[in-house]
Amino acid sequence: MIRKFPARSCARISCSLMLVVCFVAAQYSVAADAATQVQLNAAKAAPRAVEPLTQNSIVRDYRVAWNSMSHALEFNSLDPLNGPFTGEAKTGLWQSVVSQQRSGLGRRYADQTHHLDAVFYAPEGDAIELHDTAEYQLQFLDKGKVIHEEHVVAHYVVLMTPSADRWLVRYLQAVPQF
Amino acid sequence: MRRLCLNCAYGFLALGVAACLMAALAASCSAQNITVPTSAVAGEPASIAITGSGKATLYILGPGISTKQEVNLGEDLKLRGDALKNAGDYHIVACSDSCHSATFYVSAGKPASLTFLVHPSRVPVSQQDAVSGVAFPFDQFHNLVFTPQTINFQLSAGNASLLNRSVNTQAGVAWFRTSSGKSAGALQVVASLNDFNARRVVQQVASDPCNLRITGQRNAQGILVQTEPVHDCSGNPVPDGTIVSFTATAASGKSTVDAPIKKGVARAEMEATGSAVISGASGVVMGNEVRVGGRP
């Protein structure tokens, strides 16, 4: 004997399932974003001192930038690059994503920690140069399958400039050492 | 029992040898070692070598590049200059039976342009540390150049040179800060590196009024007060539209009129029947006081 559920019950169950899925997805997304650790040491910034509120903004916006970049390079999506990047950084990452879309490859950055040192803060506060010592688990993907994985300690030189309501990454380049 | 153990030992030995042979055979078919450039420069060709025999899939992932191709192991692989335009880390992964990886760094080329930020765009004359500039050298592919470069900053107004300073870049940046000049007008700011110049213009405007002097005289309607031509302390005429406040203090009370400077002079007509003391001020600068007698 087959017991049929009323249509209304099915709809309720579907809605509940969708809510659960959305909730879990949201939690996963938040957890992934929150997992990116960013610390800033602005003690050596010159010639201008970095104000505490500016430090908080830079940490927040740099974390957003890396999360967006990770998302863009893992899922080969250009949209995440539109908010936190500008100038050469945006152009370079754009090229990376387009190239990955063509080749079917991807990159996944996991377990990120970033130790930022502010080394230059322009007299008028319109540009800041940061040195990022980053650690992460880097995976290379071929059509979604991990082909290589390694723990990376990388050094990045970062230029950020302020926009109307946030700091944007204008330049991001890996260097062998500082 | 002893023979059984001996047989076991021979068996394990044979298995071990077979395993070693198989591993060696497998290794000979796979990538053994990847040799990458020790010093690659953006835009210049480079080559990588992967030892071994047979075919492998080669992945190259770097800034702005992501490729996958089949290669023959044991042959040098040429990378074209346009594949290495962006400075940064390039990862090489070669996969046959197993995957091997290597990383090499591409550094920026020679400086080919300057990004030059100058602040502010408009500045009062004779202000301490009011003008600043920051310069970043980039190569032809827009990679920031980290090797120290000497950037020359020149500031001039008219024919007068206000600053000529050479600064070495540190971590890819050079900067200056200086005072504004003494005369209103265009301030030319130039950053130069080798044959490359970046030119900006800062508009220098008169500073606050200096020695504000007013005169007043009674006429049929009241008291006509006006300033002498208003200048800053360097003798530059204060721009039209700057507000001068005239305050008349009389027995009947105090009244204030704000008047903009027009053609270098601010002028206002104040109502006062009796004698009054009139003062003028512009911004934080106070002028003289004049006493005007009452109506006869």
Side-chain angles (χ1 to χ4, degrees):
Chain A
M1 180 182 167
I2 299 170
R3 187 178 169 187
K4 289 186 178 174
F5 285 102
R8 191 177 288 175
S9 298
C10 284
R12 272 187 197 157
I13 291 167
S14 302
C15 281
S16 303
L17 275 172
M18 282 177 68
L19 280 172
V20 168
V21 167
C22 288
F23 179 76
V24 170
Q27 290 298 307
Y28 178 79
S29 172
V30 167
D33 287 356
T36 301
Q37 303 289 321
V38 180
Q39 293 177 338
L40 171 65
N41 176 12
K44 292 178 184 170
R48 179 185 173 120
V50 187
E51 299 83 357
L53 281 175
T54 304
Q55 292 183 32
N56 294 341
S57 301
I58 285 170
V59 168
R60 178 197 63 200
D61 296 336
Y62 192 67
R63 181 188 294 120
V64 168
W66 265 88
N67 286 333
S68 301
M69 187 183 89
S70 304
H71 194 85
L73 290 172
E74 181 175 353
F75 299 105
N76 289 338
S77 166
L78 293 167
D79 288 343
L81 303 177
N82 285 329
F85 295 97
T86 188
E88 293 304 323
K90 188 173 179 180
T91 305
L93 289 170
W94 193 278
Q95 288 171 354
S96 294
V97 172
V98 169
S99 182
Q100 287 188 175
Q101 286 173 342
R102 286 199 199 109
S103 62
L105 304 180
R107 279 170 254 205
R108 182 183 292 146
Y109 296 85
D111 302 332
Q112 299 176 39
T113 59
H114 299 269
H115 294 276
L116 296 172
D117 285 300
V119 295
F120 175 78
Y121 188 30
E124 296 297 323
D126 52 352
I128 189 165
E129 181 176 333
L130 307 164
H131 285 179
D132 177 14
T133 303
E135 281 192 57
Y136 46 77
Q137 201 67 18
L138 177 60
Q139 295 178 335
F140 295 128
L141 313 170
D142 185 357
K143 295 186 175 64
K145 182 186 162 193
V146 177
I147 53 165
H148 179 71
E149 179 172 4
E150 61 183 298
H151 182 75
V152 175
V153 179
H155 300 95
Y156 290 91
V157 172
V158 186
L159 285 181
M160 295 183 81
T161 53
S163 68
D165 60 347
R166 73 188 80 167
W167 284 80
L168 303 178
V169 175
R170 184 168 286 274
Y171 194 79
L172 178 70
Q173 184 185 314
V175 293
Q177 71 275 323
F178 298 125
Chain B
M1 185 69 180
R2 183 178 288 176
R3 180 170 291 175
L4 189 63
C5 285
L6 203 60
N7 285 342
C8 284
Y10 282 140
F12 281 123
L13 188 63
L15 274 174
V17 169
C20 286
L21 279 171
M22 284 177 70
L25 187 66
S28 71
C29 292
S30 63
Q32 295 290 300
N33 191 22
I34 304 173
T35 306
V36 292
T38 51
S39 60
V41 177
E44 295 182 5
S47 66
I48 57 176
I50 310 167
T51 59
S53 59
K55 288 190 178 295
T57 305
L58 183 75
Y59 300 92
I60 303 175
L61 290 109
I65 184 174
S66 163
T67 63
K68 173 187 176 183
Q69 57 188 304
E70 294 296 314
V71 294
N72 292 318
L73 296 175
E75 295 177 2
D76 278 6
L77 182 77
K78 305 288 181 197
L79 299 176
R80 287 175 17 190
D82 60 1
L84 304 173
K85 286 192 297 188
N86 297 316
D89 285 333
Y90 286 71
H91 300 272
I92 308 290
V93 180
C95 295
S96 51
D97 294 332
S98 59
C99 292
H100 296 256
S101 71
T103 303
F104 67 97
Y105 176 70
V106 172
S107 59
K110 291 178 184 172
S113 65
L114 278 174
T115 292
F116 190 28
L117 307 173
V118 174
H119 272 279
S121 58
R122 186 178 155 96
V123 65
V125 298
S126 301
Q127 299 284 308
Q128 287 285 316
D129 291 339
V131 181
S132 66
V134 181
F136 301 93
F138 286 88
D139 71 3
Q140 60 172 320
F141 303 110
H142 309 292
N143 299 304
L144 187 57
V145 178
F146 295 113
T147 51
Q149 307 290 326
T150 303
I151 294 179
N152 185 249
F153 295 110
Q154 289 179 311
L155 276 71
S156 59
N159 294 325
S161 174
L162 302 180
L163 177 81
N164 190 345
R165 186 184 298 166
S166 293
V167 180
N168 287 333
T169 58
Q170 289 183 326
V173 59
W175 66 281
F176 75 89
R177 183 162 51 193
T178 189
S179 304
S180 56
K182 291 193 183 310
S183 54
L187 175 66
Q188 305 285 337
V189 186
V190 179
S192 52
L193 169 60
N194 303 330
D195 297 333
F196 305 102
N197 288 335
R199 186 180 299 271
R200 303 286 181 268
V201 176
V202 173
Q203 188 65 32
Q204 293 188 127
V205 297
S207 192
D208 289 329
C210 196
N211 297 323
L212 182 65
R213 295 199 61 80
I214 64 170
T215 56
Q217 61 184 43
R218 185 168 289 284
N219 62 12
Q221 285 77 35
I223 301 171
L224 177 67
V225 289
Q226 66 175 29
T227 65
E228 292 179 357
V230 184
H231 295 92
D232 67 8
C233 294
S234 301
N236 300 294
V238 172
D240 283 3
T242 305
I243 298 295
V244 175
S245 299
F246 297 103
T247 302
T249 307
S252 56
K254 188 180 277 190
S255 63
T256 300
V257 173
D258 291 336
I261 293 174
K262 288 180 183 173
K263 295 183 179 175
V265 173
R267 189 176 287 115
E269 207 158 80
M270 309 187 77
E271 287 184 4
T273 50
S275 64
V277 175
I278 300 170
S279 63
S282 180
V284 296
V285 178
M286 289 290 295
N288 62 313
E289 287 184 347
V290 293
R291 182 177 296 276
V292 179
R295 192 171 285 166

